[in-house]
Amino acid sequence: MRTELLEPRLCFSDLKPPQADFRSEVIEGLRRPRKTLSPKFFYDPEGCRLFEAICDLPEYYLTRTEIAILTEHADSIAQTLGRGGTLIELGSGNSRKVRLLLEALKPDVYMPVDIAGQHLLAASRELAVDHPWLNIHAACLDYSRHFELPFLPEGQRKTVFFPGSSIGNFEPAEAEILLRGIARCVQPDGGLLIGFDLKKDAAVLQAAYNDSAGVTAQFNLNLLRCINAGAAANFDLGRFRHHAFFNEPKGRIEMHLRSESHQRVVVAGETFEFLDGESIHTENSYKYGIEEFRTLARHAGFEPGRCWRDRNGLFCVHYFGV
Ligand code: AVI
């Protein structure tokens, strides 16, 4: 781990996994009988840019709705969480949402955690300018692999902020493991403030992942560009198509990249064959009922606290204690 003090109140720790792990994870996923790639690989600088564009799309209600909930209820959220302590944000991206809570929460330390190092650093620098009183300790790491934050200050109450329904991108069993890791990390008196997308009409969900401007399609296809650059591959982006649908029995949106023809692709020296119409499964986005999510969190060692929802019942921000 490399830790640098960049400014008096801004520290950066780099625990990013090596590039070799990216290649081996990609190859392992493509060797499966049903080809799969992890959605965590979407977020190179271009993927981050495209994701931010998705968040502003009219069909993608998630970000807008969560922001409205955080804005409207910032004070009551702060009352529930308490002031001070360490606020750890998982998948902090541009740190747009935490800005809505910082003045109400006044944490002693804010720790944004993200796998996209450049993006994390830029967002942390901007935040430091806008909140000169705030101690920021940014950590570049893959929180889906190991949930350990070794540099956390001892004896301070810790709250994890995990917005954006990113929990929905984990299989329920993996989500439980991640939540258990978070519960361990915030012991003995901390908690978790988490945003998750609620189950709703399939047409609304389907539209959110098939926007008319085609930004989600670009975001999905950009994954192949990342693999071309980072794993010496020769995917032809024109020969794959974005495909997203709501899988009702599983309660999730599935995103795929469908091969438009029978083709071969070389990745790190290994040849992979794609049949016409065969797909690479690139993302699941699980949608939960509130009780369903509470059950998951209880299994991971949390006690449900307050929750805040929008009037249309689209999205939920929930506090859990340990
Ligand atoms: C980051 N994550 C919560 C988004 C989602 O809705 O599952 C990623 C995304 N994929 C397509 N659009 C947005």
Side-chain angles (χ1 to χ4, degrees), residues 43 51 54 60 62 164-166 169 209 216 219 255 283 285:
Y43 302 95
F51 181 64
I54 287 176
Y60 195 77
L62 287 82
S165 196
S166 296
N169 298 134
Y209 294 82
T216 310
F219 173 71
M255 289 215 314
E283 187 177 63
S285 191

Side-chain angles (χ1 to χ4, degrees), residues 191-233:
L192 166 69
L193 183 71
I194 188 162
F196 56 92
D197 196 17
L198 293 168
K199 286 205 161 107
K200 61 184 64 66
D201 187 57
V204 175
L205 289 169
Q206 217 124 281
Y209 294 82
N210 288 288
D211 63 278
S212 53
V215 183
T216 310
Q218 285 180 53
F219 173 71
N220 200 5
L221 282 160
N222 182 58
L223 186 53
L224 301 183
R225 195 176 289 124
C226 292
I227 297 172
N228 284 348

Side-chain angles (χ1 to χ4, degrees), residues 82-103:
R83 290 178 147 224
T86 299
L87 182 67
I88 303 149
E89 180 175 3
L90 302 184
S92 53
N94 57 13
S95 286
R96 180 177 172 189
K97 290 172 190 161
V98 82
R99 285 172 178 265
L100 305 169
L101 299 178
L102 285 176
E103 291 300 329

Side-chain angles (χ1 to χ4, degrees), residues 261-278:
S261 59
H262 183 200
Q263 53 181 315
R264 287 188 181 80
V265 177
V266 178
V267 183
E270 185 167 336
T271 302
F272 293 91
E273 189 166 345
F274 290 83
L275 303 176
D276 188 5
E278 184 179 354

Side-chain angles (χ1 to χ4, degrees), residues 230-246:
N234 64 352
F235 279 103
D236 177 349
L237 274 62
R239 296 176 78 189
F240 286 85
R241 181 160 295 189
H242 167 70
H243 178 58
F245 62 95
F246 185 56

Side-chain angles (χ1 to χ4, degrees), residues 69-303:
I69 296 171
L70 295 173
T71 307
E72 188 178 339
H73 300 288
D75 289 337
S76 109
I77 290 172
Q79 261 174 24
T80 304
L81 269 64
R83 290 178 147 224
T86 299
L87 182 67
I88 303 149
E89 180 175 3
L90 302 184
S92 53
N94 57 13
S95 286
R96 180 177 172 189
K97 290 172 190 161
V98 82
R99 285 172 178 265
L100 305 169
L101 299 178
L102 285 176
E103 291 300 329
L105 283 176
K106 283 270 185 260
D108 297 318
V109 179
Y110 167 59
M111 178 176 284
V113 174
D114 209 293
I115 194 170
Q118 284 176 37
H119 203 56
L120 173 66
L121 196 54
S124 303
R125 284 193 193 279
E126 279 181 30
L127 200 66
V129 170
D130 296 340
H131 299 273
W133 53 269
L134 184 64
N135 293 304
I136 303 173
H137 187 159
C140 179
L141 59 85
D142 176 4
Y143 62 79
S144 69
R145 280 160 56 113
H146 55 96
F147 193 82
E148 266 169 45
L149 304 173
F151 31 74
L152 279 175
E154 284 288 315
Q156 262 200 13
R157 186 169 42 81
K158 300 169 196 86
T159 305
V160 167
F161 178 43
F162 194 21
S165 196
S166 296
I167 193 70
N169 298 134
F170 290 78
E171 289 304 301
E174 290 170 8
E176 192 182 316
I177 293 171
L178 175 63
L179 292 181
R180 201 172 293 134
I182 297 173
R184 215 179 303 121
C185 161
V186 301
Q187 289 285 358
D189 53 357
L192 166 69
L193 183 71
I194 188 162
F196 56 92
D197 196 17
L198 293 168
K199 286 205 161 107
K200 61 184 64 66
D201 187 57
V204 175
L205 289 169
Q206 217 124 281
Y209 294 82
N210 288 288
D211 63 278
S212 53
V215 183
T216 310
Q218 285 180 53
F219 173 71
N220 200 5
L221 282 160
N222 182 58
L223 186 53
L224 301 183
R225 195 176 289 124
C226 292
I227 297 172
N228 284 348
N234 64 352
F235 279 103
D236 177 349
L237 274 62
R239 296 176 78 189
F240 286 85
R241 181 160 295 189
H242 167 70
H243 178 58
F245 62 95
F246 185 56
N247 181 334
E248 192 116 37
K250 299 215 158 142
R252 68 191 192 198
I253 285 282
E254 292 188 14
M255 289 215 314
H256 295 256
L257 286 166
R258 242 190 207 164
S259 174
E260 294 273 88
S261 59
H262 183 200
Q263 53 181 315
R264 287 188 181 80
V265 177
V266 178
V267 183
E270 185 167 336
T271 302
F272 293 91
E273 189 166 345
F274 290 83
L275 303 176
D276 188 5
E278 184 179 354
S279 80
I280 314 175
H281 190 165
T282 52
E283 187 177 63
N284 287 323
S285 191
Y286 281 86
K287 312 299 169 185
Y288 288 96
I290 293 188
E291 266 318 313
E292 190 183 7
F293 195 83
R294 286 181 179 152
T295 303
L296 178 72
R298 277 199 189 92
H299 284 152
F302 281 107
E303 270 308 311

